[in-house]
Amino acid sequence: MSLEQLMARQRDTINRVLEQHLQNYHSPAPQLQQAMRYALVLGGKRVRPFLTYSVGEICGASAQVLDHAAAAVECIHAYSLIHDDLPAMDDDDLRRGQATCHRAFDEATAILAGDALQTLAFELLTAIELQLDPQRQVQMLRALSQASGSRGMCGGQALDLAATARQLTEAELEQVHQLKTGALINAAVQLGVLSGSEEAQQYLDDFSQFAALLGLAFQVQDDILDVTSSTEMLGKTKGKDEAAQKSTYVTLLGLEAAQVKLTQLHQKALQALQRIPYNTQLLENFAEQLLTRDY
């Protein structure tokens, strides 16, 4: 099976899992549930769930645990996109090729949908039916909560907002992206390892190093695509960061140097995988495709 076929199969899997969880999630507020589904299920590359599934399978995790872990990561990601697009944040009208949640519904409903998806993520990880050691379950909760909060994604968004109309140094920009984008990608990989066998836990740091480098490279590629691609290809507004006077790797380094940095980060990520004595070819192939995409 090719990488494209495997990714398509796993997208189908996570979409089915997300639909099932939402069907079992009975809210007394129907419009809120509609907004949650709109933001969670409709569209998306599913990068983070793919990493959770792929790493978890390498580490010997059960399908049931991976379904919950991958769904939890995607709930956090969807919540972050809803809030990122709000007028008080990035103020965007387009996401995944369709109207942003606050445009499709209203601002208050979008905020509540994001809040509800965030809490659903932790509900999924604490499901009593999961056949998982309680201590490992706590580690998974800790990994996802740290990646989502002020020391992770929220902290990165705060730094990003504070940097508007201010030229950042490369170190400052790296910190923003390690937190805003990289932290959740790292959590997706960590959840895959933590879902797995006891033996696999000794390689958690190596998997985490791969994820940190991949996450930063992913953002460098996003900055490059914001210049070289189109709104139609991206599914979101092209040139938004430049219009908002935000620092990017392209504005800071120039396009050619940003492409060099992307290549360097990619090579370091592959080197981290080489320290793991499992078959990580799938992750190598995925990194290659992710970092050479045009959307």
Side-chain angles (χ1 to χ4, degrees), residues 39 74 76-86 95-96 100:
E74 192 64 10
I76 293 291
H77 180 52
Y79 130 70
S80 75
L81 298 183
I82 294 173
H83 283 200
D84 278 358
D85 291 333
L86 290 169
R95 172 69 68 177
R96 293 173 171 171
T100 48

Side-chain angles (χ1 to χ4, degrees), residues 2-19:
S2 69
L3 177 62
E4 291 78 9
Q5 290 172 321
L6 182 57
M7 290 176 67
R9 189 182 74 176
Q10 289 201 348
R11 271 196 301 272
D12 289 342
T13 298
I14 191 61
N15 288 342
R16 173 181 51 78
V17 168
L18 292 171
E19 286 277 18

Side-chain angles (χ1 to χ4, degrees), residues 47-48 51-52 73 76-77 80-81 84 143-144 146-149 151-157 159-160 172-191 207-223 249 265 290-291 293:
V47 167
R48 293 151 191 83
L51 286 168
T52 301
V73 170
I76 293 291
H77 180 52
S80 75
L81 298 183
D84 278 358
L144 189 57
Q146 284 187 337
S148 306
R151 290 184 290 176
M153 189 176 63
C154 288
Q157 177 71 350
L159 291 175
D160 190 37
E172 289 172 330
L173 185 60
E174 182 170 321
Q175 182 185 39
V176 168
H177 292 318
Q178 282 178 332
L179 297 176
K180 184 178 177 181
T181 303
L184 195 57
I185 287 177
N186 204 333
V189 168
Q190 288 185 21
L191 289 186
F207 275 111
S208 186
Q209 180 69 17
F210 161 73
L213 291 161
L214 181 70
L216 186 56
F218 180 82
Q219 185 59 56
V220 176
Q221 176 71 344
D222 260 10
D223 288 353
Y249 278 100
L265 290 168
L290 186 69
L291 301 180
R293 73 194 191 281

Side-chain angles (χ1 to χ4, degrees), residues 4 27 32 35 40 47 59 71 78 98 107 114 121 140 145 152 154 158 173 190-191 197 243 252 257 266 274 278 281:
E4 291 78 9
S27 169
L32 175 60
L40 182 62
V47 167
C59 295
Q98 60 189 12
E107 193 171 340
M140 293 171 73
S145 60
C154 288
L173 185 60
Q190 288 185 21
L191 289 186
S197 68
L252 185 64
H266 184 188
Q274 289 171 4
Y278 298 150
Q281 187 63 51

Side-chain angles (χ1 to χ4, degrees), residues 254-269:
L255 180 58
E256 185 175 341
Q259 290 168 330
V260 170
K261 185 171 184 68
L262 173 64
T263 300
Q264 292 171 340
L265 290 168
H266 184 188
Q267 292 305 311
K268 288 179 180 178

